[in-house]
Amino acid sequence: MAQALLGRTQQVPILDEKVADVDTRIIRMGEPYKDEALIREAGEIIRAGGLVAFPTETVYGLGGDALNPASSRKIYEAKGRPSDNPLIVHIADMEALAAIVKDVPETAKKLAAAFWPGPLTMILEKSDLVPRETTGGLDTVAVRMPSDAVALAFIRAAGGYVAAPSANRSGRPSPTCASYVAQDLDGRVEMILDGGDATLGLESTIVDLTVEPPAILRPGFITVEMLRQKLGRVEEDGTLFRADSGQAPKAPGMKYRHYAPEGELVIVRGPAEAVTAYIGGKLAEGRKNRKKTGVIATDETVGMYQADVPRSVGKRADAAATAKGLYRILREFDDEGVEWIYSESFDGGGVSQAVMNRLLKAAGHKVIEINEGGTEI
Ligand code: AMP
Ligand code: MG
């Protein structure tokens, strides 16, 4: 049914048809009085053990009651996600935090004061209120207070504790708009709250506060520098940005195959002019081999490439724009059946670390380093 409502969604194969039997209602947010009643309805679905996809400022979430083990099991089933990959519990106020963790350490208080509501997830020791189904069997729980107004109202209406991973089917990019949610989850959730495009477009920063010093498990908009300003020492997991770190990843989710486009994605890193020339050569090779080609470039360079599907993530200096556009572009390559994809590299500090982290995962860490002369090193 959702397909009919949304003109531009494309049919994607659903792996386990037997769970895709729900009549999904897609509800466009934006009319205050109507919204209130609809959000109340969405909250009731959660309280009754159902699933609702909802907008947040990072990406769309697939929500269920975090305190109900059956709801968490449903989330895993709808998403096709391994059940030892823990969910993030979304809350709307600090009282809710105190209820679901053993204690609220000073570090958490400082970070909450500085960055909540916002795109930061904290890992803390869980209280008995949180079932292990929600935490993937762990004694720790991931908690976030999103800033999106629809998300906050929905969490309150749902009883205050909404477990939500990103609202994509496992192995697809996180959805940044409601039609992408419908592509992946039509028939698997009772309702999709459509709040328009996610303003940030990349998942939250995850910081583990159960270790000393605190450690970043996933980079995002709240950067390591911002966290260090509040906490002093903060470690970065060596597996986050480098292809060759040789360390085992620390967040449970990291051991799973992440989203990779159907085409072959390669990142090219080196001096700017050498990179455009190198990618240009590869695209020509692709044309000769009758491959459908795609490119991830910036406003400054996208016009230089002769690709079948050239895409710009925005101005190179605007890391936030890059973050916002990346997942949409990756989905478009799949929709267009692109076979060879070349991406420029985004190696600035701050938010571009988060972008690079996701891009490296999507590329399966395939990076070609070239020198000034365009030779691979
Ligand atoms: P997603 O919900 O798709 O944004 O993914 C949530 C991420 O949070 C996964 O990569 C999880 O591994 C991570 N996560 C959730 N809970 C914990 C936890 N208790 N300890 C470490 N990582 C966690
Ligand atoms: Mg996810």
Side-chain angles (χ1 to χ4, degrees):
M1 173 196 172
Q3 301 291 340
L5 287 174
L6 292 158
R8 66 185 301 267
T9 61
Q10 255 194 281
Q11 199 66 50
V12 281
I14 287 177
L15 304 174
D16 183 2
E17 287 293 348
K18 73 179 188 299
V19 298
D21 57 359
V22 181
D23 186 12
T24 302
R25 291 168 60 203
I26 302 175
I27 307 292
R28 174 79 200 158
M29 296 284 104
E31 293 171 58
Y33 298 106
K34 226 171 94 196
D35 284 2
E36 222 171 278
L38 289 165
I39 284 173
R40 209 173 315 123
E41 219 182 301
E44 273 154 25
I45 292 173
I46 298 293
R47 288 169 192 261
L51 303 182
V52 174
F54 64 102
T56 83
E57 72 278 22
T58 57
V59 298
Y60 274 69
L62 165 55
D65 180 353
L67 307 187
N68 179 350
S71 297
S72 292
R73 281 195 293 267
K74 256 194 202 173
I75 291 176
Y76 289 115
E77 192 179 50
K79 209 178 141 76
R81 175 171 181 155
S83 60
D84 63 345
N85 191 352
L87 309 174
I88 295 175
V89 179
H90 292 70
I91 57 171
D93 52 55
M94 288 302 280
E95 288 72 55
L97 176 66
I100 56 173
V101 301
K102 270 226 172 81
D103 73 328
V104 182
E106 275 313 307
T107 47
K109 285 181 195 155
K110 278 189 197 162
L111 294 185
F115 304 118
W116 276 3
L120 177 70
T121 296
M122 303 187 213
I123 309 287
L124 293 161
E125 305 288 343
K126 79 172 192 70
S127 76
D128 292 340
L129 202 56
V130 186
R132 288 220 160 68
E133 281 78 358
T134 300
T135 63
L138 298 174
D139 292 326
T140 53
V141 61
V143 193
R144 181 165 101 84
M145 190 191 294
S147 65
D148 184 275
V150 172
L152 287 170
F154 163 65
I155 293 163
R156 288 196 189 97
Y161 309 92
V162 174
S166 49
N168 52 288
R169 241 176 319 115
S170 225
R172 301 265 292 155
S174 297
T176 52
C177 63
S179 62
Y180 289 165
V181 177
Q183 270 188 3
D184 282 14
L185 297 178
D186 184 27
R188 295 171 170 245
V189 295
E190 273 85 352
M191 195 184 262
I192 298 171
L193 297 174
D194 178 356
D197 284 348
T199 43
L200 301 180
L202 277 193
E203 305 88 344
S204 58
T205 304
I206 303 181
V207 61
D208 186 351
L209 296 179
T210 68
V211 293
E212 185 42 48
I216 293 195
L217 303 184
R218 177 169 76 187
F221 280 82
I222 307 300
T223 62
V224 67
E225 293 81 14
M226 292 160 81
L227 294 173
R228 282 182 182 146
Q229 245 177 31
K230 299 293 164 195
L231 301 183
R233 236 179 110 201
V234 174
E235 298 241 298
E236 286 176 288
D237 182 338
T239 59
L240 296 180
F241 320 106
R242 292 191 299 276
D244 56 350
S245 65
Q247 292 176 25
K250 293 197 185 79
M254 292 180 198
K255 71 173 186 260
Y256 293 105
R257 196 187 77 85
H258 205 260
Y259 165 75
E262 280 149 34
E264 165 104 353
L265 169 60
V266 176
I267 302 165
V268 183
R269 181 184 264 153
E273 277 178 32
V275 167
T276 45
Y278 182 92
I279 293 179
K282 288 290 178 189
L283 295 173
E285 211 176 290
R287 279 194 302 280
K288 222 164 49 195
N289 287 289
R290 300 186 180 286
K291 297 290 179 191
K292 190 157 186 185
T293 57
V295 100
I296 304 177
T298 56
D299 284 359
E300 291 85 349
T301 56
V302 70
M304 301 179 194
Y305 297 111
Q306 289 181 3
D308 296 306
V309 185
R311 288 288 180 271
S312 170
V313 289
K315 288 201 173 64
R316 176 157 283 278
D318 188 354
T322 316
K324 187 169 176 168
L326 182 66
Y327 285 148
R328 175 179 296 274
I329 290 171
L330 291 174
R331 276 184 185 254
E332 284 169 359
F333 288 146
D334 281 352
D335 291 347
E336 301 263 351
V338 175
E339 298 168 277
W340 283 15
I341 307 160
Y342 286 91
S343 178
E344 295 178 1
S345 155
F346 302 92
D347 294 308
V351 177
S352 51
Q353 289 201 322
V355 173
M356 205 52 196
N357 166 262
R358 307 309 194 276
L359 199 55
L360 279 166
K361 283 182 177 177
H365 289 265
K366 284 190 290 289
V367 182
I368 295 176
E369 310 264 359
I370 55 170
N371 64 19
E372 210 72 55
T375 314
E376 290 180 29
I377 30 183

